[in-house]
Amino acid sequence: MTEFYPSVNLAFLTTATMGCGPSNDGKLGSNGMNGYLNDPPPLPPTDPRLPLTARQKFSLEKSWKAVQRNAESVGQDTLLRMFRMDPSVQDLFPDFKGKGEEELRELFSFETQATLMINIFDEVVEKLDDMDSVINLLQKTAERHRQMGISAEVFRKIEEPFQITLKNCLGDRYTEKIEGIYLTFVKLVFDMMCEVMADDGS
């Protein structure tokens, strides 16, 4: 038997599927039927003390998730790369002096040091919406290292191996744009900390 559909229903189907509605040119809106699609809300501006745009900050936070998933290896690889680039730094750690890379990886103290290092950056990324907290964190961390006798010059030696390790970790995601963001971000962290470590208190 032939099925019949009322013409009004056909008209409705035609209008909905062909985009011929006279009032909105057939553009779907936020309610799925009427009006235009709303543009996504703009990202809130960043703190002037953070040298990244809102879009760059978003890209950093998004890409950092891959670093978080590999935090242990990123921390350890950074320290090992630093020791290869400047063996004298390794000798500053009594537990590490004279040990090879495989021996270091077996040390709990080495694992702890690597974790502490990567946790600093992880916490900074988590706090980028609150630069007062970021500055307070970095100043306290730098002061602890200064009291341990670590100079700003030595501490700065982590920067380059850390950048190389980040590049290896992110792989294809480490685009030219992402590289620029990480260069700015990592430099900011080290600049803030080394400023405190270099201060003689006078």
Side-chain angles (χ1 to χ4, degrees):
M1 181 176 66
T2 305
E3 295 183 359
F4 294 93
Y5 297 89
S7 59
V8 63
N9 286 348
L10 287 174
F12 170 77
L13 290 172
T14 302
T15 301
T17 57
M18 297 301 292
C20 298
S23 62
N24 61 12
D25 294 330
K27 304 269 181 93
L28 295 179
S30 58
N31 62 1
M33 290 300 297
N34 299 311
Y36 291 88
L37 282 171
N38 294 325
D39 292 332
L43 295 171
T46 57
D47 189 298
R49 293 169 292 182
L50 177 65
L52 296 173
T53 66
R55 179 58 57 184
Q56 289 173 323
K57 172 178 168 290
F58 175 80
S59 295
L60 171 64
E61 292 168 334
K62 185 176 180 181
S63 64
W64 186 258
K65 293 177 182 179
V67 180
Q68 287 179 317
R69 290 193 294 269
N70 299 277
E72 181 178 346
S73 62
V74 169
Q76 293 188 14
D77 289 350
T78 296
L79 292 185
L80 291 174
R81 183 169 280 109
M82 177 175 64
F83 295 161
R84 288 196 298 269
M85 295 172 70
D86 189 345
S88 66
V89 178
Q90 181 175 342
D91 293 341
L92 296 175
F93 299 84
D95 288 351
F96 304 164
K97 188 173 182 178
K99 290 184 170 60
E101 294 189 4
E102 292 305 317
E103 292 177 290
L104 288 171
R105 288 186 185 275
E106 295 296 324
L107 289 177
F108 178 73
S109 57
F110 176 77
E111 179 183 341
T112 300
Q113 191 66 40
T115 299
L116 290 172
M117 188 276 293
I118 197 65
N119 281 352
I120 293 171
F121 289 91
D122 190 55
E123 192 168 352
V124 170
V125 173
E126 294 292 334
K127 294 178 179 293
L128 286 179
D129 287 324
D130 184 0
M131 284 301 293
D132 286 331
S133 293
V134 168
I135 293 170
N136 184 56
L137 167 68
L138 295 179
Q139 288 178 340
K140 287 183 176 180
T141 303
E143 183 59 33
R144 285 199 304 271
H145 283 79
R146 185 173 67 169
Q147 291 177 2
M148 293 165 56
I150 299 177
S151 67
E153 180 183 4
V154 169
F155 197 79
R156 180 75 76 173
K157 292 180 183 292
I158 305 174
E159 187 171 357
E160 183 180 356
F162 185 47
Q163 290 284 11
I164 296 172
T165 304
L166 288 173
K167 180 178 181 179
N168 293 341
C169 174
L170 294 175
D172 293 340
R173 288 167 290 190
Y174 197 79
T175 61
E176 184 177 346
K177 180 185 74 172
I178 292 296
E179 179 183 22
I181 292 172
Y182 273 93
L183 286 172
T184 300
F185 167 66
V186 173
K187 183 178 184 300
L188 171 70
V189 172
F190 279 100
D191 283 352
M192 285 186 173
M193 295 183 68
C194 289
E195 181 179 358
V196 172
M197 297 170 75
D199 186 1
D200 60 6
S202 59

